[in-house]
Amino acid sequence: MSGNTELLSTTLATARAEDRAALIAYLPAGFPTVDGGIEAVKAVVAGGADVVEVGLPHSDPVLDGPVIQTADDIALRGGVKIADVMRTVREAYEATGAPILVMTYWNPIDRYGVERFTAELAAAGGAGCILPDLPVQESALWREHAERHGLATVFVVAPSSRDERIATITEAGSGFVYAASLMGVTGTRASVGAQAQDLVRRTRATTELPVCVGLGVSDAAQAAEVAGFADGVIVGSAFVKRMLDAPDEAAGLAAVRSLAADLAEGVRKR
């Protein structure tokens, strides 16, 4: 079975045709348990998420904030393995039909084996991978195997990226471009939003790929703001926090479904 790059592209194109941004949810595999994580993916899609990123928990998640680090710790203490990540992708895809990507640091793939990882992800029905710490110039082996198995390779651009660097990144990537920008502390909100908007503009100048923004969005109003200039709105910590704050798993699932519904309404008000 080949991967679902085409499903990802079609899903993003459908959102654009509806004159809205796509809602992309991030949830770590194995959190709060492997079964609970699968149910959480189903819940966010039921609430209105178009695409889901399943995080592969890592012991040194240098790019993740404290909320996601906490969830990763819980998953790792629970013994989550790459096989559990693949099972999460497979069962979530079979249950929802939504495009499911894996977001992971490079080291676990390198240790597991690129061919094995890409083959298993494609067999599970995965749409691709987001690789935040894999330099484009070192990505040829990964991209060769990903293309063979029909998987998208999503690279990350940042406000600090120079225009030439952005062009190099977008030329090598597929599926969509992940534009990363941090909200910063309270009070810097407007300037950070402007920075993200500028990053999207600079990225679009180099590619036809959809540009999706991960910006610390946590509510419908922020989702609507980002949807005004991006092709997709990526939300992670807000979902994870709802799960962490819930008194039990059932309440957590209800909370993430409700948040997805609010955010899905937000991305339609661009």
Side-chain angles (χ1 to χ4, degrees):
M1 179 176 174
S2 67
N4 271 314
T5 305
E6 202 172 312
L7 174 64
L8 175 64
S9 298
T10 304
T11 301
L12 294 170
T14 299
R16 179 179 282 185
E18 294 172 0
D19 192 32
R20 66 176 179 88
L23 174 60
I24 303 175
Y26 166 93
L27 290 162
F31 168 74
T33 60
V34 176
D35 288 344
I38 292 166
E39 292 307 313
V41 176
K42 293 181 193 175
V44 295
V45 175
D50 300 290
V51 177
V52 180
E53 303 171 5
V54 170
L56 193 160
H58 193 258
S59 53
D60 186 25
V62 291
L63 299 173
D64 292 317
V67 170
I68 289 170
Q69 284 186 28
T70 300
D72 277 5
D73 286 345
I74 291 167
L76 291 165
R77 283 205 303 271
V80 71
K81 302 278 192 292
I82 287 180
D84 300 313
V85 178
M86 298 299 178
R87 185 185 142 214
T88 300
V89 172
R90 182 172 56 252
E91 293 192 15
Y93 169 62
E94 287 172 354
T96 66
I100 314 286
L101 299 103
V102 169
M103 186 165 188
T104 179
Y105 295 96
W106 178 245
N107 183 260
I109 295 178
D110 197 34
R111 289 211 311 263
Y112 196 72
V114 176
E115 169 55 27
R116 181 182 176 197
F117 190 94
T118 51
E120 289 183 8
L121 182 55
C129 240
I130 300 158
L131 300 160
D133 68 339
L134 176 64
V136 170
Q137 61 271 25
E138 296 172 24
S139 67
L141 177 69
W142 164 266
R143 285 186 287 134
E144 177 193 328
H145 287 291
E147 283 166 26
R148 184 181 304 161
H149 291 292
L151 298 169
T153 298
V154 178
F155 288 116
V156 178
V157 296
S160 58
S161 305
R162 308 273 297 263
D163 289 354
E164 316 86 88
R165 172 88 181 135
I166 290 174
T168 304
I169 291 169
T170 59
E171 188 179 2
S174 54
F176 64 92
V177 182
Y178 190 124
S181 185
L182 300 174
M183 282 293 203
V185 296
T186 309
T188 62
R189 177 70 192 84
S191 62
V192 177
Q195 196 176 35
Q197 191 164 356
D198 180 61
L199 177 60
V200 171
R201 180 189 58 74
R202 293 194 295 127
T203 304
R204 280 196 177 133
T206 70
T207 184
E208 295 295 309
L209 290 172
V211 182
C212 303
V213 173
L215 223 168
V217 168
S218 60
D219 61 34
Q222 290 170 343
E225 182 185 342
V226 176
F229 59 82
D231 299 300
V233 180
I234 303 166
V235 181
S237 295
F239 283 117
V240 176
K241 191 168 189 317
R242 292 285 178 104
M243 297 282 286
L244 284 169
D245 290 349
D248 55 50
E249 192 176 297
L253 295 174
V256 294
R257 180 172 178 159
S258 170
L259 177 59
D262 287 347
L263 294 164
E265 200 174 312
V267 299
R268 285 163 173 79
K269 289 179 177 170
R270 57 193 298 175

